[in-house]
Amino acid sequence: MRKAIFLFFLLLGIGIGLLSAWPDGWGLRIVMMAVGALFGGAIGGGLSQIGKRQSGRRRLLTEEEIEPIPGGGSSGRDLAANYWRDKGLPPFTRMPDAEPDKHMYDPDRIG
């Protein structure tokens, strides 16, 4: 029954596209039929619920399932653990506080 609903709306979209471009050339007819098939397929797929899981509700993924390797720096736990070190920004997105002294290894400054 789902396939019949889907095919009905798909063919309805193709037919509407063909009828809307009937007095024009075949190039425009084909384009309008393709656009009608696109919209008819989307509407038919939505109404017939093709692609919906049969089990009902979708299960939400846990943080460990989304990012199985801890310490990567992008999970909520990693951002919270390193909040003060990174000053509230994602890791590795800000420059260090100060650059080292460029003349610290000059020969006249040693010793």
Side-chain angles (χ1 to χ4, degrees):
M1 185 65 188
R2 288 182 180 189
K3 287 184 182 179
I5 294 171
F6 176 73
L7 287 174
F8 171 74
F9 280 100
L10 183 70
L11 293 175
L12 182 68
I14 292 172
I16 290 173
L18 178 65
L19 289 177
S20 66
W22 186 256
D24 296 318
W26 276 103
L28 184 61
R29 287 183 196 173
I30 291 172
V31 169
M32 291 300 291
M33 287 168 55
V35 170
L38 178 74
F39 282 100
I43 293 170
L47 291 178
S48 64
Q49 297 179 352
I50 291 177
K52 185 177 178 185
R53 288 182 141 190
Q54 298 296 326
S55 63
R57 295 184 114 190
R58 266 182 56 185
R59 186 177 62 91
L60 296 176
L61 298 176
T62 63
E63 190 172 335
E64 287 80 20
E65 291 173 337
I66 294 172
E67 188 173 340
I69 301 172
S74 60
S75 72
R77 286 185 188 165
D78 293 336
L79 290 174
N82 299 322
Y83 180 79
W84 297 110
R85 181 195 71 189
D86 297 328
K87 298 182 179 173
L89 298 172
F92 310 116
T93 58
R94 69 177 184 91
M95 296 298 293
D97 290 335
E99 293 185 19
D101 187 15
K102 294 180 181 177
H103 302 285
M104 61 190 279
Y105 296 115
D106 286 347
D108 58 339
R109 290 196 57 184
I110 296 177

